[in-house]
Amino acid sequence: MTSADSSPSVHRNAIRAARSVVVKIGTTALTTPSGVFDAGRLAVLVEAIEGRMKAGSDVVIVSSGAIAAGIEPLGLSKRPTDLATKQAAASVGQVALVNAWSSAFAVYSRTVGQVLLTAQDIAMRVQHNNAQRTLDRLRVLHAVAIVNENDTVATNEIRFGDNDRLSALVAQLVGADALILLSDIDGLYDSDPRKGNARFIPEVAAQGDLDGVVAGGGSHLGTGGMASKLSSALLAADAGVPVLLAAASDAGAALSDASVGTVFAPRPERMSARRFWVRHAAESHGALTLDDGAVRAVVKQRRSLLPAGITEVTGHFHGGDVVDLRGLDGQTVARGVVAYEASELAAIIGRSTPDLPAELRRPAVHADDLVAT
């Protein structure tokens, strides 16, 4: 166990006091060293989570481990590498996994509900809102939501980062006050601690705290790793959610007083759900290339993007879709919800507003629907 500084930071205090918490459980936290799913380890985690809930917090759980839980029942000797067998293992494992969560919480007379999501469910606004309503309703009905990727139908999503990124998206989705990432890693180091001479980083308050940090990939059991966890922690922090990265073996301390692991400071102001969706969750359906003046107006002055500042339209999109906004060098500078379909916008780019027909005198992307990247 790696302890944090004896005088807790304001961000650790915020995590300790959070009334709504998302807890992400990594695959390695639920398996033996040989890769066999271990219901006993899950029960220990539930005990710690129950303590947090009894203290008055609402908890949503993002649980990995479905594929690992399917390995033994299917008679496999190791985690599969081909997509079809992964999906088969997930199909069997999801049943075992949710049953294990249900049995463990039944000891405390709590009911669980399973919510299976794919990246598309988060990326598409209608599905995004439906998932949000489902999670909110489960909370109102005092059920514990167990969220997992729907690996039985996912393709690239199975390599989504062992649910790390999903947990950050869920934290924003439910308006959580804190995100706690639990795995076999007890915090952030500047290099692999297993190789020696690694420096522990108790808090990431600014980009400079990450100077020199080298983050590695995942284990043979899960798809995540320090790189995935670091990326997800920074994503949630960018949304205004404080994050604690700690070992599952320290779950009791992580969930009670946040005295262990590495804490990631959130941005000062909470990003709205819509702006977060545009920036991080939504799928891009195309791109608009902007001249230098339009880039300044969008990025520096936070002004709406007008057709006059667009030099090129790429992709096939409709009004209401999210598109990337790029500078002349091809670098994405912002994302936004476009007000025109592609062919309609392509016909009026470069033209000033007074020269346009009255029905087309509107921004290509309104300032309220723009988020700089």
Side-chain angles (χ1 to χ4, degrees), residues 95-298:
V95 176
L97 184 63
V98 76
N99 282 341
W101 282 111
S102 181
S103 296
F105 272 112
V107 173
Y108 306 100
S109 300
R110 293 193 187 272
T111 300
V112 306
Q114 184 181 47
V115 180
L116 298 176
L117 299 172
T118 66
Q120 186 178 25
D121 295 323
I122 302 295
M124 304 302 290
R125 191 63 178 171
V126 173
Q127 292 97 313
H128 180 280
N129 290 340
N130 285 339
Q132 184 179 51
R133 282 193 292 268
T134 298
L135 290 167
D136 286 345
R137 193 60 181 166
L138 284 171
R139 177 184 57 80
V140 170
L141 294 172
H142 306 292
V144 183
I146 310 296
V147 182
N148 197 353
E149 275 198 272
N150 193 353
D151 291 341
T152 59
V153 299
T155 51
N156 289 335
E157 289 80 5
I158 282 184
R159 298 183 295 276
F160 201 41
D162 197 20
N163 280 336
D164 292 320
R165 179 175 172 83
L166 178 60
S167 68
L169 296 174
V170 168
Q172 171 64 18
L173 195 69
V174 301
D177 302 316
L179 169 63
I180 298 177
L181 302 172
L182 298 177
S183 67
D184 59 343
I185 301 170
D186 66 353
L188 178 65
Y189 292 81
D190 62 354
S191 61
D192 190 340
R194 294 170 296 183
K195 298 180 180 179
N197 300 319
R199 177 177 61 88
F200 177 70
I201 302 172
E203 181 166 332
V204 177
Q207 189 64 36
D209 294 331
L210 297 175
D211 290 346
V213 172
V214 178
S219 71
H220 68 290
L221 299 175
T223 54
M226 182 51 71
S228 172
K229 290 168 180 58
L230 177 57
S231 175
S232 300
L234 294 175
L235 190 159
D238 183 57
V241 180
V243 181
L244 181 66
L245 171 62
S249 57
D250 295 333
L255 285 159
S256 59
D257 60 12
S259 61
V260 294
T262 299
V263 66
F264 292 78
R267 65 186 294 155
E269 295 183 2
R270 183 96 182 204
M271 188 181 294
S272 72
R274 179 171 175 79
R275 292 175 69 82
F276 180 85
W277 176 76
V278 170
R279 181 168 182 171
H280 294 296
E283 178 183 357
S284 175
H285 292 270
L288 308 179
T289 301
L290 283 56
D291 62 30
D292 292 339
V295 169
R296 286 193 298 272
V298 166

Side-chain angles (χ1 to χ4, degrees), residues 16-39:
R16 179 187 298 117
R19 306 298 291 179
S20 174
V21 182
V22 171
V23 179
K24 187 268 178 178
I25 311 293
T27 297
T28 53
L30 299 175
T31 56
T32 65
S34 62
V36 177
F37 178 74
D38 186 349

